[in-house]
Amino acid sequence: MTTSGRATLAQIAHEAGVSTSTVSRALRGRGEMAAPTRARILAAARRLGYAREDEPRGRPRTGTARLFDLVLGHYHDPYTDEVTAGAHQAAAELGYDLVLTAESDDPGDDWPIRVRGRGSAGVVLGLIRPTLSQLTVLRDAGIPIVLMEPPSEPSVELTSVRTTDRAGAAEAAAHLIERGCTRFIVVAGAPAYRYGRARVEGFTRTVEELLPGAPLMRVQAGWEAVQARQAVLPALRSLPGSGPVGLFACSDEMAAGAYRSIAELGLGVPADVRVVGFDDVRGARYLQPGLTTVRQPIREMASAAVRALVDPDLPIGSVIELPTTLVVRGSTHAG
């Protein structure tokens, strides 16, 4: 291993308080090592201006494996299954394999080192908030990174793929008003991710503009059916006014939980409460009645994220936004 002349392994070892062999293993991404130790070594290398002469830069890298990494916090639910399918199809069409990599909150998780070690040609990070040190490992190795539906705005300049969350929710609000709703409940997700905040804002602003003074109650719940059910029950009991209720949930899973609350109170969908979800994952159409929802083009977004990894004309930091579509089913049928 050689350097650009700005620093040596010995200098980095002295700075980080480790041996030169440990520095070498950390920089190459080889062997087992405690995450804090590796992070300390990489930070020392950056401070000293260390760079490998043989480290390729740019997009895409040459001499790498013909594979991409898809990094998600979890797998095997309706949303991530769609992400995986879209990413796999795009990778195959480009002549690459797709590696599924799980990210965890464990501070010892060294998935960026593993990605770098196998020579990945690019990484799509879906629905996760990578740390600065994790991003640094990938960027220092010249590995292109694209974020798909990031939960928050990235702290460094990165290309991202997302959907029209605010506009989709605004369309849901207008639809519920058109279907005769005069009072409203918004089920916001907790934690309040970037896309969740945009959906709540788009919905509430549209109701306030189109139906000023209409009762509108906002509740927060975890992004799953059980938590949404628990949050919606007291909201339905205490919502002032009379007339049909328009309920907007920030995900289809939360909308399914709202169905349960409505039934427990002896109310009906859509006779008493008209419900709109968000995502259009499988299962939305099989609720009884079928769920009206804002379709997020999940497969297309995953495909676009993979293709962005090898697009030489796409500036880093670009935001690729794919439009939502309102899919109308029985849950908002006015009868």
Side-chain angles (χ1 to χ4, degrees):
M1 182 180 292
T2 59
T3 73
S4 63
R6 290 178 290 179
T8 66
L9 296 185
Q11 289 171 328
I12 297 170
H14 177 77
E15 177 80 4
V18 297
S19 67
T20 55
S21 62
T22 301
V23 170
S24 178
R25 287 190 291 111
L27 296 177
R28 288 182 179 275
R30 306 296 186 188
E32 297 296 326
M33 185 179 302
T37 301
R38 196 185 303 273
R40 188 168 73 251
I41 292 168
L42 294 176
R46 289 195 299 273
R47 287 196 302 272
L48 294 173
Y50 177 86
R52 288 167 50 180
E53 289 178 352
D54 63 344
E55 181 178 84
R57 303 285 178 178
R59 179 197 297 163
R61 299 189 302 161
T62 59
T64 59
R66 297 287 295 184
L67 61 85
F68 296 129
D69 275 82
L70 172 64
V71 183
L72 299 173
H74 61 277
Y75 287 88
H76 307 308
D77 62 35
Y79 190 98
T80 58
D81 284 352
E82 290 291 297
V83 173
T84 303
H88 180 267
Q89 181 177 351
E93 290 174 356
L94 293 169
Y96 288 76
D97 294 324
L98 184 71
V99 176
L100 304 184
T101 301
E103 184 266 356
S104 73
D105 294 330
D106 181 355
D109 185 6
D110 64 348
W111 64 263
I113 303 300
R114 301 196 305 274
V115 168
R116 185 180 68 179
R118 57 179 163 257
S120 182
V123 180
V124 172
L125 305 178
L127 296 169
I128 65 173
R129 290 184 282 194
T131 65
L132 182 57
S133 62
Q134 289 172 333
L135 292 175
T136 299
V137 170
L138 301 175
R139 297 180 82 192
D140 284 356
I143 300 175
I145 307 166
V146 173
L147 306 178
M148 178 184 160
E149 196 72 310
S152 59
E153 294 299 341
S155 57
V156 296
E157 191 175 45
L158 292 171
T159 297
S160 65
V161 178
R162 52 189 74 182
T163 192
T164 51
D165 295 289
R166 187 175 283 101
E171 189 175 8
H175 174 72
L176 286 170
I177 292 172
E178 179 187 346
R179 291 300 167 97
C181 297
T182 56
R183 48 201 185 119
F184 304 89
I185 295 173
V186 182
V187 188
Y193 297 128
R194 174 198 59 80
Y195 41 81
R197 295 194 302 271
R199 294 169 194 177
V200 170
E201 181 181 336
F203 186 89
T204 55
R205 284 193 176 184
T206 301
V207 169
E208 290 165 357
E209 290 171 2
L210 297 182
L211 211 61
L216 192 156
M217 183 176 295
R218 172 179 167 174
V219 297
Q220 277 197 313
W223 291 84
E224 296 182 359
V226 173
Q227 292 92 330
R229 171 194 160 275
Q230 294 170 344
V232 169
L233 272 171
L236 284 170
R237 291 191 181 105
S238 60
L239 183 67
S242 60
V245 175
L247 187 147
F248 173 66
C250 281
S251 76
D252 292 347
E253 179 78 10
M254 299 166 77
Y259 269 46
R260 299 177 194 174
S261 300
I262 295 164
E264 286 182 39
L265 293 177
L267 302 174
V269 177
D272 303 299
V273 185
R274 290 156 199 170
V275 183
V276 178
F278 204 108
D279 288 336
D280 197 27
V281 296
R282 71 170 184 268
R285 70 189 64 187
Y286 301 120
L287 291 172
Q288 292 297 325
L291 176 65
T292 294
T293 187
V294 180
R295 180 183 182 270
Q296 185 176 182
I298 304 169
R299 287 199 185 200
E300 295 89 339
M301 291 165 65
S303 176
V306 168
R307 295 179 188 281
L309 292 171
V310 293
D311 185 349
D313 300 320
L314 185 66
I316 294 175
S318 299
V319 175
I320 302 169
E321 195 171 65
L322 277 63
T324 56
T325 306
L326 183 69
V327 179
V328 179
R329 300 191 180 101
S331 68
T332 56
H333 181 64

